[in-house]
Amino acid sequence: MTCPSRSDLGLLVLRLGTGGVLVAHGTQKLFGWFGGGGIDATARGMEAMGFRPGRPSAIASGLAEAGGGALLALGLATPAAGAAAAGGMAAATSVHAPSGFFAQEGGFEHPGHLGWTAASIALMGAGRYSLDHVTCHRLDQPWMVPVAFAASAVAAAVIIQKRAKALAADREEEASRSEF
């Protein structure tokens, strides 16, 4: 086995594992599969976490995970897929960041790792064992990498900032109620 074959095989395994985990998480949110709550429960949860309105936030989160994960696993439109998944995980990381790093403390270890891995795959490319390779990289052009990451970063920043404002308004409202 030559080195390029090992690298391509390694990328395939990494894409399948990362994409599979993302698909599972996204379909929990969207459809209630694998013990998830489905869209209605996810929407209520998103609302409680400050992502408002809850239903569109739940749909966007589920699509970033399930859609980005499926495309990563297939190795199709890899820059957009990895950037979408990384952006979704940036929002998830913002929820868990106050609890520190480690997952057992409620920290951002898991979403951070998924986002980092998805971004890394987007930067590396899907390798030879991918639909991007089969389609002659029509959806994996060099210019797509910075465009996908810029769009994802802007969207994640806007969503995280909007959430922070919603949570601050909730705290302010709660404080004003407790004064009476």
Side-chain angles (χ1 to χ4, degrees), residues 79 123 141-152:
L123 290 171
Q141 298 292 311
W143 64 267
M144 293 175 180
V145 174
V147 170
F149 276 100
S152 180

Side-chain angles (χ1 to χ4, degrees), residues 8 10 13 41 47 59 61 71-72 99 103 115 117 120 128 168 179:
D8 290 321
V13 171
E47 189 86 24
I59 292 168
S61 178
L71 290 172
L72 279 176
S99 297
T117 304
S120 297
R128 283 190 294 182
E179 289 176 3

Side-chain angles (χ1 to χ4, degrees), residues 22-43 55 58-59 61-63 65-67 70:
L22 286 163
V23 167
H25 280 276
T27 57
Q28 283 182 312
K29 289 178 173 79
L30 294 171
F31 310 117
W33 296 355
F34 309 111
I39 198 68
D40 291 332
T42 302
R55 189 171 183 83
I59 292 168
S61 178
L63 288 176
E65 292 177 15

Side-chain angles (χ1 to χ4, degrees), residues 49 51 61 65 85-101 106-116 156 160 163:
M49 288 183 275
F51 294 104
S61 178
E65 292 177 15
M89 291 299 102
T93 297
S94 75
V95 172
H96 295 279
S99 297
F101 178 74
F108 67 90
E109 176 182 10
H110 186 65
H113 182 259
L114 284 174
W116 194 266
I160 291 167
R163 174 182 178 260

Side-chain angles (χ1 to χ4, degrees), residues 46-177:
M46 297 294 271
E47 189 86 24
M49 288 183 275
F51 294 104
R52 305 212 177 103
R55 189 171 183 83
S57 297
I59 292 168
S61 178
L63 288 176
E65 292 177 15
L71 290 172
L72 279 176
L74 294 169
L76 181 63
T78 304
M89 291 299 102
T93 297
S94 75
V95 172
H96 295 279
S99 297
F101 178 74
F102 292 104
Q104 73 262 24
E105 302 296 324
F108 67 90
E109 176 182 10
H110 186 65
H113 182 259
L114 284 174
W116 194 266
T117 304
S120 297
I121 294 168
L123 290 171
M124 289 185 295
R128 283 190 294 182
Y129 307 126
S130 68
L131 290 180
D132 278 339
H133 182 74
V134 169
T135 61
C136 299
H137 299 277
R138 291 205 170 133
L139 299 174
D140 181 22
Q141 298 292 311
W143 64 267
M144 293 175 180
V145 174
V147 170
F149 276 100
S152 180
V154 167
V158 167
I159 289 165
I160 291 167
Q161 182 62 32
K162 185 177 174 185
R163 174 182 178 260
K165 286 180 182 177
L167 292 175
D170 290 351
R171 285 190 298 273
E172 188 175 300
E173 182 181 320
E174 191 173 308
S176 70
R177 271 192 254 146

